[in-house]
Amino acid sequence: MSFFSINDFIASGKKSLEDENYWSALSVALMLPSMCSRLAYENIPEYQTPNGRPRDMKCYIDWCNENLKDGWSNKFLGEKYAEILYQLRCDIVHAGCANIYADGKAVYLSLNKGRTSTTFTKYRIIDVSILCEDIFDHTDTWCINFGAAGFKYTHVFDERNHDDILLYNKLCDEERANFLKEQFDEESPEK
């Protein structure tokens, strides 16, 4: 059976960037630290609430500080880059917009295809392509170091995969046969 993992999200994000589907690429890029941090800090008490739920903000920020510290995000966004990324992620994922201020500056997004990002006195312009590439590259590296054995997978039926089609059809046939058998048993004159 086929499955999706973090690696598939990275590939999808990179493809979105190639296709100039910037909002999709940015959404995926900003979600990746959430996914990775949940795996990295799973079962570590300081990263969980008393009821066992992940402390998402702490997980996200700590993961970024550990894994993006040598990247463009840190150099361009400054020492609070992880907090900026978390705020940007929350605004885009939860509100569908990005209206953030960081270090007293308004943050704007740019679709310059990786040309440049700029900091001015009152605002900062972040090139979406550069930001996404930075996160994709560092997440790729983290995945290699973390090891696929620690990944969680979502099983899927991929209609392009012959074995998946075979399994899907078998499950459907069995389910239908069980349903017909139940109906047959209910209608049986022996009752």
Side-chain angles (χ1 to χ4, degrees):
M1 182 169 195
S2 297
F3 58 86
F4 287 130
S5 73
I6 290 174
N7 290 322
D8 295 296
F9 281 94
I10 296 169
S12 177
K14 287 179 178 181
K15 177 76 168 101
S16 291
L17 203 52
E18 286 173 22
D19 294 344
E20 297 180 12
N21 185 350
Y22 296 110
W23 302 123
S24 175
L26 183 61
S27 296
V28 170
L30 293 171
M31 288 187 306
L32 285 169
S34 290
M35 296 175 195
C36 295
S37 67
R38 284 216 178 171
L39 292 173
Y41 306 131
E42 189 174 46
N43 301 320
I44 299 176
E46 74 180 274
Y47 290 99
Q48 298 187 359
T49 64
N51 67 0
R53 300 280 308 143
R55 294 182 190 273
D56 286 327
M57 182 177 179
K58 179 170 180 43
C59 290
Y60 192 102
I61 290 171
D62 285 1
W63 188 90
C64 287
N65 281 329
E66 290 173 22
N67 295 283
L68 300 178
K69 64 183 173 218
D70 298 323
W72 175 89
S73 298
N74 184 357
K75 291 179 182 98
F76 182 74
L77 297 174
E79 74 177 52
K80 294 199 179 246
Y81 71 98
E83 289 88 345
I84 294 169
L85 292 176
Y86 182 76
Q87 184 179 355
L88 185 58
R89 169 223 172 261
C90 289
D91 281 1
I92 288 186
V93 171
H94 299 295
C97 64
N99 296 314
I100 64 172
Y101 290 84
D103 299 327
K105 297 178 184 188
V107 176
Y108 297 98
L109 301 174
S110 172
L111 307 176
N112 287 328
K113 297 184 184 180
R115 278 192 265 153
T116 189
S117 293
T118 311
T119 298
F120 296 99
T121 307
K122 295 182 180 178
Y123 50 90
R124 177 177 282 137
I125 301 171
I126 299 172
D127 186 285
V128 170
S129 296
I130 295 171
L131 175 62
C132 290
E133 287 171 3
D134 182 52
I135 295 172
F136 293 149
D137 290 346
H138 283 84
T139 305
D140 242 345
T141 300
W142 179 85
C143 287
I144 291 166
N145 293 332
F146 184 75
F151 286 172
K152 293 183 178 180
Y153 299 97
T154 300
H155 293 279
V156 297
F157 290 98
D158 183 349
E159 292 189 16
R160 298 166 294 183
N161 181 304
H162 176 73
D163 289 343
D164 284 359
I165 293 169
L166 184 65
L167 177 59
Y168 178 82
N169 289 334
K170 176 76 172 162
L171 293 171
C172 289
D173 289 346
E174 285 179 8
E175 189 72 19
R176 180 73 178 149
N178 289 338
F179 172 76
L180 293 172
K181 172 101 171 59
E182 285 175 18
Q183 283 203 320
F184 176 78
D185 289 344
E186 285 177 11
E187 296 171 359
S188 176
E190 295 175 10
K191 285 192 167 192

